[in-house]
Amino acid sequence: MSNATEEREVLHQLIDSLRPEDVPTAHRVLEALHTSGDPLLTALRNAPFDDERETAEEHDAVGESNRELDEGEGVPHEEAMRRFRVK
């Protein structure tokens, strides 16, 4: 048995011996370890906060899109997926 296999067995034993109230914490810790190796998640987590002010053009575009949604001119999700050929 390899060292990694032995360590996994010890982890399983530790998990099995947890008090029920500690299971959610252990789950969060293991999930964090699992996702920490994903380069996209790491990049998103480390991305700087966008502190630029909204331009007048952006503000107007958001207002226009909200108006369209309020007036029922939006494209339903299923239609957008079909248009972009996304399954």
Side-chain angles (χ1 to χ4, degrees):
M1 195 163 28
S2 74
N3 191 32
T5 302
E6 292 170 359
E7 289 177 4
R8 284 178 184 269
E9 183 59 37
V10 170
L11 284 172
H12 284 284
Q13 291 170 3
L14 288 170
I15 290 169
D16 290 341
S17 68
L18 286 173
R19 296 177 306 169
E21 61 269 21
D22 292 331
V23 170
T25 301
H27 180 249
R28 286 192 302 274
V29 169
L30 289 171
E31 187 67 32
L33 285 171
H34 176 70
T35 59
S36 67
D38 185 325
L40 175 60
L41 291 176
T42 300
L44 290 172
R45 192 179 307 113
N46 294 330
F49 177 75
D50 182 6
D51 60 352
E52 293 180 20
R53 292 186 158 210
E54 183 179 61
T55 66
E57 183 179 75
E58 292 167 335
H59 179 79
D60 292 345
V62 169
E64 176 66 13
S65 64
N66 285 334
R67 182 199 61 75
E68 289 175 356
L69 287 173
D70 290 344
E71 294 178 7
E73 297 176 23
V75 176
H77 177 73
E78 294 78 16
E79 174 64 16
M81 299 296 277
R82 186 189 64 72
R83 288 183 189 180
F84 290 106
R85 296 186 176 106
V86 177
K87 295 182 181 202

